[in-house]
Amino acid sequence: MSDDGKERTVELRYDGGAQTLPLLTGTEGDQAFEVKTLLGTAGMVTLDPGFGNTASCKSEITYIDGAAGILRYRGYPIQDLAQGSSFLEVCYLLIKGRLPEAAELKEFADELRSNAELPEGMADMLDAFPRNAHPMTLLASAVNTLSAFYADSVNPQDPAQVDLATTRLLAKLPTIAARIYRNSIGEAPIAPDPSLDYVENFLNMTFGSAKPEGEVGELFAKAMDLLLILHADHEQNCSTATVRVVGSSQADLYGSVSAGINALFGPLHGGANQAVLEMLEQIREMGGDLDAFLAQVKDRESKTRLMGFGHRVYKNFDPRSREIKGLARQILDRQERPDELFELALKLEDKALADSYFTERKLYPNVDFFTGVIYRAMGFPTSMFTVLFAIGRLPGWIAHWREQLADPATRISRPRQLYIGPGERSYPGRA
Ligand code: MLT
């Protein structure tokens, strides 16, 4: 609708006809023309591999302006949330749509605390998995299995059940992740401690007595909290879109989130921070020669890629990467010995940003560029990096699943295709 109250439209002309399509405008002036009637009226579909130009829904949760490098959750700039809020406040904000009052936040945190234990059978199941299996596979399996242990919270049509599934997922995901890690290193699991807050409890269940105390311990907990906030939502990214697609069939919340975890596991999505660390290690093995490495990246014949740079949506700095860089500095400054990979990352960033080859292609550091070095400094193995991303992204997945469920415009996701296979042919006779 325009300011004068008139409905705005787009004219689509094609051989043999024309269509008038509604033009919709979002809160921030973004425009989308609606094509949902096109097949019925014109007999045509739109083709958009990877959905790079397709809005699959209307959403009130997260706003990104990729050209300006803006990210907001429920209207609040990510920088303000990073500085002023805790991860649990951000969970509340994303899921319920507003920041909690102090009493509401306490109630929310207490509810999660009292639901942090795993059902006994699930602990046995996690312990039975092979030690060397990837933690993301185990995480997705465990989350899927929550619907078997908690059949009283799998009905999407019952708001009380949806609330229960929401609480259980948020409460138990860190416990599941920590147990997977402890099993992978052959150490006994550590039960949740209700006297600790959400992030401290996760770090305690993960590292136990190996967790640093005092100032460094506090810094690690603050860093973890901040990283979870920065990963909490990113509108229709691959895993969130997956959660929505699965949820659109009225699958329960556990199964939908489990699908999202599998989507996140892919190296092009959540696995990218692991790839950055591997790239830095490769550069170190090349004797730290950044010019030689960047020359390889620019060489069309070589398969070398500058990992952690560029983003499908951001054509400017990823605002999360700025927050993370400052954090990385704080953590690594406190290390006893300088971290070679972090130093390499800083120099690589400087060189790439000073090189028009990368800036002309709008390749700027993204959220993954510095996260790996921070996680490593905190003591996490690379295989756990994507699990940490999943713990951060969980409130976003839940918020989108719930928003979609409440939206009367929701239909089961069922894209069309442009068939390009053989035309009808005769079936070969068999002797
Ligand atoms: C994310 O946070 O999910 C990633 O930056 C990927 C994306 O948004 O497409």
Side-chain angles (χ1 to χ4, degrees):
M1 199 77 77
S2 63
D3 291 344
D4 57 11
K6 287 203 186 113
E7 192 155 320
R8 300 176 63 220
T9 54
V10 161
E11 291 299 314
L12 179 71
R13 292 184 207 292
Y14 46 90
D15 277 355
Q19 287 278 319
T20 302
L21 299 167
L23 181 65
L24 312 178
T25 307
T27 324
E28 298 292 338
D30 298 342
Q31 297 192 328
F33 63 92
E34 203 172 57
V35 292
K36 69 181 183 194
T37 55
L38 200 58
L39 180 61
T41 53
M44 281 188 282
V45 295
T46 54
L47 178 65
D48 181 20
F51 314 122
N53 203 63
T54 296
S56 60
C57 60
K58 292 182 193 165
S59 179
E60 297 180 357
I61 302 172
T62 287
Y63 174 69
I64 299 177
D65 179 336
I70 291 173
L71 170 62
R72 296 184 203 133
Y73 299 161
R74 301 278 188 189
Y76 297 109
I78 191 68
Q79 295 81 353
D80 293 348
L81 292 167
Q83 277 158 32
S85 277
S86 68
F87 176 60
L88 280 199
E89 263 182 297
V90 169
C91 289
Y92 192 103
L93 170 70
L94 286 170
I95 295 169
K96 306 208 184 226
R98 62 175 177 84
L99 284 166
E101 299 293 337
E104 289 170 325
L105 182 61
K106 185 179 175 308
E107 193 188 333
F108 184 58
D110 287 346
E111 220 178 347
L112 299 191
R113 261 191 203 104
S114 57
N115 278 280
E117 294 275 357
L118 299 185
E120 208 172 300
M122 167 158 292
D124 294 343
M125 183 190 94
L126 284 173
D127 298 350
F129 281 118
R131 287 265 157 89
N132 56 359
H134 196 287
M136 282 297 276
T137 304
L138 306 194
L139 195 73
S141 307
V143 167
N144 197 30
T145 313
L146 284 174
S147 59
F149 288 102
Y150 296 116
D152 60 346
S153 50
V154 294
N155 180 1
Q157 299 309 330
D158 179 342
Q161 292 201 27
V162 169
D163 283 345
L164 200 51
T166 298
T167 302
R168 285 175 173 156
L169 268 170
L170 288 168
K172 293 179 203 304
L173 198 69
T175 318
I176 296 171
R179 193 170 187 116
I180 290 171
Y181 170 69
R182 303 284 297 175
N183 283 345
S184 75
I185 57 166
E187 293 285 346
I190 297 171
D193 178 346
S195 74
L196 297 176
D197 80 15
Y198 192 80
V199 166
E200 284 170 351
N201 188 33
F202 170 60
L203 293 175
N204 188 55
M205 289 188 292
T206 305
F207 296 121
S209 57
K211 184 169 72 79
E213 298 298 332
E215 209 190 316
V216 176
E218 273 170 36
L219 179 63
F220 279 11
K222 192 179 133 222
M224 192 72 238
D225 199 84
L226 178 58
L227 288 168
L228 296 180
I229 292 175
L230 297 175
H231 285 90
D233 193 39
H234 214 233
E235 48 118 303
Q236 308 305 320
N237 62 86
C238 177
S239 54
T240 303
T242 301
V243 170
R244 276 186 174 258
V245 168
V246 175
S248 78
S249 74
Q250 301 272 310
D252 70 74
L253 184 58
Y254 304 118
S256 306
V257 167
S258 170
I261 293 173
N262 280 316
L264 187 69
F265 186 17
L268 295 186
H269 190 3
N273 52 16
Q274 179 170 340
V276 171
L277 211 70
E278 285 158 5
M279 171 188 75
L280 294 172
E281 272 157 3
Q282 185 200 334
I283 298 174
R284 182 169 58 183
E285 276 159 31
M286 289 166 67
D289 188 341
L290 292 168
D291 292 320
F293 176 76
L294 289 177
Q296 267 184 27
V297 172
K298 290 190 234 172
D299 177 1
R300 282 167 185 259
E301 300 295 303
S302 118
K303 293 230 161 29
T304 311
R305 285 181 57 202
L306 180 56
M307 302 306 299
F309 264 66
H311 192 280
R312 174 83 156 259
V313 179
Y314 294 113
K315 300 301 165 217
N316 196 321
F317 270 89
D318 178 337
R320 300 168 296 176
S321 75
R322 291 183 190 266
E323 303 294 319
I324 291 175
K325 182 175 174 185
L327 186 67
R329 239 180 223 297
Q330 282 183 49
I331 292 207
L332 294 151
D333 280 353
R334 278 186 174 65
Q335 290 211 303
E336 281 163 18
R337 277 182 294 134
D339 186 307
E340 222 186 316
L341 293 189
F342 180 53
E343 301 296 336
L344 268 181
L346 286 175
K347 286 190 197 140
L348 181 60
E349 188 200 22
D350 283 349
K351 274 196 182 284
L353 290 178
D355 189 329
S356 58
Y357 176 92
F358 298 103
T359 47
E360 273 166 14
R361 288 168 174 75
K362 311 252 185 271
L363 294 172
Y364 294 96
N366 62 38
V367 70
D368 301 308
F369 191 66
F370 285 111
T371 44
V373 283
I374 302 181
Y375 293 147
R376 185 167 150 274
M378 291 171 77
F380 288 101
T382 43
S383 60
M384 282 294 287
F385 292 0
T386 320
V387 171
L388 303 174
F389 194 153
I391 297 175
R393 186 53 52 89
L394 180 61
W397 289 331
I398 295 174
H400 281 272
W401 188 92
R402 293 173 63 121
E403 180 181 69
Q404 173 178 262
L405 189 71
D407 182 351
T410 298
R411 301 170 72 200
I412 184 169
S413 292
R414 197 342 184 153
R416 293 290 179 143
Q417 63 170 14
L418 184 63
Y419 175 71
I420 56 164
E424 184 177 355
R425 37 185 173 170
S426 34
Y427 186 70
R430 294 222 173 98

